[in-house]
Amino acid sequence: MRRLLGAVLVVAVGCSGGTPAVDGGTSGGGATAGGGATAGGGATAGGGATAGGGATAGGGATAGGGATAGGGATAGGGVVFYDGDGGLLSDGGCNVRSGTTLGVEQLSGISAVMIASPPGDARIFAIAQSGWVRLFKNGVLQSALVDDLSNSGRNLTAAGGERGLLGIAFHPEFSTVGSSHRGKYYLHYTSSSTGASVVDEFVLPPGADVTPVSPGPRRIIVVPQPFTTNHKGGSIEFGPDGYLYLALGDGGGDGDPNDRAQNDFDLLGKILRLDVDGDDFPGDANRNYAIPPGNPFAADGGAPEVWHKGLRNPFRFSIDATNHIYIGDVGQSYWEEIDAAPNTPLLNWGWDDREGAHCYEPDPGCLTAGRTDPVVEFSALDAGWHAIIGGQVYRGGCFPDLVGRYLYGDFAAGQVWSFRLDGGVATENRFELGGVDELTSIHETAFGDLYLTRRTGIFRIVVR
Ligand SMILES: [Ca+2]
Ligand SMILES: [Ca+2]
Ligand SMILES: [Ca+2]
């Protein structure tokens, strides 16, 4: 049943009539947390993590009135919110609040799959699977679209199942005055015409909130997806090294039917690392990037874009400022997992020899040498986790007791948990929030604040 688990993953504009729908038939019994989810005691602590089974959810989202920037806000162009207790927050400062009791406050009721913001920029950009990019200024949703891949004559992507617009990243020099890379941002989506995974580069002029339709985007990469409609990955991130990382799933199907995730010459089931400032393939219109010199197959032995291998559907991943990578890899039938380690080349995350910290193919007797098991895993059967959502390490200045803590969750279980990575082990792994069903991302702004997106809106994570 859970082979379709990936299909649960993403909000979809359904084929049957165009209304947003979650292909939820596969989420199994009790997968969604209708407010006050209980963390099934089956949460297992892989690799030393302590899963405090049975924690109850603290209520979930309280919509704090849509976070408009009123009431004496003087943020000088920064993001302004109330923190739920009357405290003024902005990029330049906030009411610092101690403690570790988390809550959320709603920024908007729009259905987004991710938010992000450029370095040094207080605007918050949201993307929807259907193809639009919108932004918030001073906490207020702007009416004009930053971009729209499905309209505006672009017609680049079409949402459906796990396809559509899935990831956004900003060039490290997006805000750098005088840089030729100023204003560049990147969108990862599946092509409406071919289904291929595509990353394009767009340019938002300084001071503008809308991307000109002309000239069109610069293509970065096209990865054919000839197999099925699921397991497309999603996140793209720039690492501290300045390179763009792209997560791709195994291309779909049950049990990675052609064993692509372990095939070093196949781009599927991988994390790729690209230098978007160069072009090592001047004759190839679908490869407009350079190969970073440290890539494991830069010279030979595999596809030169490959950075990590052995992934099933790494829908959400992030690279912390400490250059540790955290990956939420959506499992097949039994195990949802968080992978985390220093971001060194050619880590093999195990799929499909391993599912979580267990043999998958074959079972028993799978290969284990050189495979890195997750730091945390959750049972689909016992904990009701069906589509794990990798999150982010909190690096903001508002909640000092959260700093260094990695937050993650699950689309179906509607929960957020967190841990600290210490010596390669997930420590203090604990339940944080329930009632956040249809979770699609947990991501940071330029100032280290964390937001989560759900099908029902965009929420800021706060300490209460
Ligand atoms: Ca296989
Ligand atoms: Ca080229
Ligand atoms: Ca794995």
Side-chain angles (χ1 to χ4, degrees):
M1 58 132 188
R2 244 246 319 42
R3 67 169 184 264
L4 296 175
L5 144 298
V8 180
L9 188 50
V10 177
V11 177
V13 176
C15 312
S16 59
T19 54
V22 174
D23 186 0
T26 59
S27 60
T32 55
T38 56
T44 60
T50 56
T56 55
T62 59
T68 54
T74 55
V79 180
V80 181
F81 303 108
Y82 289 102
D83 64 1
D85 299 291
L88 181 64
L89 301 171
S90 77
D91 65 281
C94 57
N95 288 341
V96 174
R97 185 178 295 276
S98 301
T100 56
T101 303
L102 296 193
V104 291
E105 58 183 16
Q106 189 167 25
L107 176 62
S108 170
I110 61 173
S111 183
V113 289
M114 186 177 166
I115 69 97
S117 59
D121 194 317
R123 293 173 297 177
I124 296 174
F125 290 67
I127 62 170
Q129 196 180 353
S130 60
W132 53 249
V133 183
R134 301 184 70 172
L135 64 79
F136 295 86
K137 296 170 78 172
N138 296 326
V140 178
L141 181 65
Q142 304 298 293
S143 55
L145 302 183
V146 177
D147 212 331
D148 188 352
L149 302 190
S150 60
N151 294 313
S152 304
R154 295 199 191 280
N155 213 13
L156 291 171
T157 195
E162 299 180 13
R163 300 197 283 189
L165 175 56
L166 304 174
I168 182 171
F170 297 90
H171 195 285
E173 296 180 17
F174 180 97
S175 305
T176 304
V177 175
S179 170
S180 62
H181 305 300
R182 189 177 187 190
K184 289 181 177 177
Y185 68 96
Y186 301 83
L187 299 177
H188 175 213
Y189 63 92
T190 54
S191 166
S192 57
S193 57
T194 67
S197 292
V198 178
V199 175
D200 280 348
E201 175 187 274
F202 300 81
V203 179
L204 188 62
D209 292 336
V210 175
T211 305
V213 173
S214 180
R218 181 173 78 100
R219 186 125 299 168
I220 299 296
I221 190 171
V222 176
V223 180
Q225 292 278 4
F227 306 107
T228 73
T229 61
N230 60 353
H231 303 178
K232 304 310 173 197
S235 288
I236 51 176
E237 294 266 352
F238 281 91
D241 55 13
Y243 297 128
L244 182 68
Y245 293 76
L246 164 62
L248 291 174
D250 64 12
D254 207 357
D256 193 4
N258 290 323
D259 297 327
R260 293 178 279 268
Q262 291 292 330
N263 180 345
D264 294 339
F265 291 90
D266 196 315
L267 297 185
L268 300 181
K270 306 296 189 306
I271 286 180
L272 312 182
R273 189 173 78 145
L274 312 175
D275 177 0
V276 296
D277 297 346
D279 186 0
D280 286 345
F281 311 95
D284 189 339
N286 287 331
R287 302 170 90 191
N288 298 309
Y289 48 83
I291 300 299
N295 279 17
F297 306 120
D300 55 28
E305 295 88 349
V306 169
W307 179 248
H308 289 171
K309 62 195 273 189
L311 292 157
R312 181 178 178 276
N313 191 19
F315 177 59
R316 292 289 176 238
F317 78 97
S318 62
I319 303 172
D320 190 28
T322 60
N323 202 31
H324 287 73
I325 191 167
Y326 295 77
I327 307 165
D329 197 12
V330 178
Q332 176 73 46
S333 298
Y334 300 110
W335 299 103
E336 299 297 317
E337 64 181 80
I338 296 291
D339 305 314
N343 189 30
T344 53
L346 202 55
L347 293 176
N348 183 348
W349 299 108
W351 179 252
D352 70 345
D353 304 308
R354 310 278 284 165
E355 183 189 8
H358 313 267
C359 274
Y360 179 78
E361 187 177 291
D363 179 19
C366 66
L367 295 170
T368 60
R371 277 75 174 161
T372 301
D373 280 342
V375 295
V376 166
E377 64 178 6
F378 279 77
S379 163
L381 299 182
D382 295 333
W385 283 46
H386 293 275
I388 200 164
I389 302 297
Q392 195 108 24
V393 176
Y394 180 75
R395 296 289 176 197
C398 298
F399 311 124
D401 295 331
L402 291 188
V403 173
R405 184 168 281 279
Y406 175 73
L407 281 78
Y408 65 100
D410 187 83
F411 175 93
Q415 298 173 4
V416 171
W417 287 55
S418 78
F419 63 77
R420 291 182 188 279
L421 191 66
D422 184 2
V425 174
T427 64
E428 305 172 34
N429 189 36
R430 69 185 183 215
F431 174 87
E432 298 284 8
L433 288 171
V436 289
D437 47 293
E438 300 181 338
L439 177 71
T440 53
S441 74
I442 300 171
H443 204 265
E444 66 177 356
T445 66
F447 300 94
D449 286 323
L450 292 185
Y451 286 76
L452 59 85
T453 55
R454 299 168 57 194
R455 187 184 168 203
T456 52
I458 301 173
F459 300 80
R460 181 169 182 262
I461 296 174
V462 299
V463 167
R464 296 207 174 279

